Amino acid sequence: DTEVTQTPKHLVMGMTNKKSLKCEQHMGHRAMYWYKQKAKKPPELMFVYSYEKLSINESVPSRFSPECPNSSLLNLHLHALQPEDSALYLCASSQENGNTIYFGEGSWLTVV
Amino acid sequence: SQKIEQNSEALNIQEGKTATLTCNYTNYSPAYLQWYRQDPGRGPVFLLLIRENEKEKRKERLKVTFDTTLKQSLFHITASQPADSATYLCALDAMDSNYQLIWGAGTKLIIKP
């Protein structure tokens, strides 16, 4: 079982909704990540937090807004999404940025 | 251009045989390479890491080789079982990618009983 916990596992939202994805890890890792994955594609990096500071934003649209309240928690706030944003959103963590990454089970997002 | 490639076609292997998956890369200076397993609808799970100065790494029925001259890593599963069926992703950690993992698209492995 993964030690990175993501909620919810499934989310259906309309294009005008505001929702959040949540992630928690208790491995003492100092880097946390959000990835987006479409079917039959590799994970696509969205954001990296290192020591609770945003260190990488891979040119992600502003309708995705990350937040790192503390070293164990990572949120992804969603607003005014498009149907093409439907995907599996993966949270991950590592001891340091670039080390072996431990993924959560993912949150399946469907935008209608 | 820089890229990392895995065989996009599914690999069908008879149970009990050795499955070998390939990961090729170009124009990267790797620090290390990792292999992950991903089951449908779930997050990738880390399997093995091999450093650029290592030739081979083993873990139970798994073996990874890394040839920086050929720019290739091979991932072997010996005595394969139907439970090994999954998509296997390689990911390269390179000095020239600011140490962010560069992912291959994955190869789907099917072990037939």
Side-chain angles (χ1 to χ4, degrees):
Chain A
D1 288 338
T2 179
E3 294 184 67
V4 179
T5 304
Q6 289 188 242
T7 56
K9 292 195 186 307
H10 298 274
L11 177 64
V12 179
M13 60 185 291
M15 289 188 283
T16 59
N17 290 161
K18 283 185 181 181
K19 296 286 185 183
S20 297
L21 304 180
K22 297 184 182 300
C23 176
E24 187 170 6
Q25 60 90 9
H26 292 290
M27 294 180 281
H29 289 170
R30 304 317 300 263
M32 295 187 77
Y33 310 76
W34 280 114
Y35 282 85
K36 171 183 177 181
Q37 189 176 27
K38 292 275 202 177
K40 298 185 180 180
K41 297 287 187 183
E44 180 184 334
L45 184 65
M46 300 174 72
F47 302 104
V48 181
Y49 274 83
S50 183
Y51 291 86
E52 300 165 48
K53 293 190 190 306
L54 183 64
S55 62
I56 294 178
N57 176 341
E58 292 286 353
S59 303
V60 179
S62 60
R63 57 186 184 268
F64 295 92
S65 175
E67 179 196 18
C68 189
N70 60 51
S71 60
S72 299
L73 296 175
L74 187 66
N75 299 322
L76 185 62
H77 302 297
L78 315 170
H79 175 52
L81 295 193
Q82 304 296 312
E84 59 264 29
D85 296 322
S86 299
L88 178 66
Y89 287 83
L90 294 162
C91 175
S93 69
S94 65
Q95 285 187 337
E96 298 287 342
N97 192 6
N99 284 169
T100 296
I101 291 180
Y102 296 86
F103 287 88
E105 295 285 2
S107 293
W108 281 100
L109 173 67
T110 303
V111 182
V112 297
Chain B
S1 63
Q2 297 175 314
K3 56 183 178 180
I4 180 168
E5 290 183 329
Q6 295 183 255
N7 194 335
S8 58
E9 294 181 10
L11 181 63
N12 288 275
I13 298 292
Q14 195 66 38
E15 181 178 8
K17 302 292 186 184
T18 296
T20 299
L21 287 72
T22 304
C23 178
N24 295 299
Y25 63 92
T26 58
N27 298 329
Y28 282 112
S29 300
Y32 49 85
L33 188 142
Q34 305 184 40
W35 284 88
Y36 290 76
R37 169 183 172 142
Q38 187 170 24
D39 291 285
R42 309 189 74 172
V45 175
F46 170 74
L47 295 175
L48 280 170
L49 178 154
I50 187 164
R51 301 183 190 284
E52 53 89 20
N53 60 351
E54 297 177 316
K55 296 294 184 187
E56 182 180 298
K57 208 73 168 286
R58 289 175 186 262
K59 178 182 175 183
E60 297 172 353
R61 294 185 296 112
L62 309 180
K63 184 178 84 171
V64 171
T65 63
F66 197 12
D67 189 326
T68 54
T69 301
L70 291 178
K71 297 187 186 301
Q72 181 181 78
S73 176
L74 298 178
F75 177 80
H76 306 273
I77 304 175
T78 58
S80 59
Q81 304 166 2
D84 295 325
S85 299
T87 295
Y88 290 86
L89 298 151
C90 67
L92 191 68
D93 188 314
M95 290 175 272
D96 39 4
S97 67
N98 197 26
Y99 296 102
Q100 292 306 315
L101 288 182
I102 311 299
W103 293 86
T107 297
K108 184 174 182 178
L109 176 65
I110 301 168
I111 306 297
K112 297 186 174 180

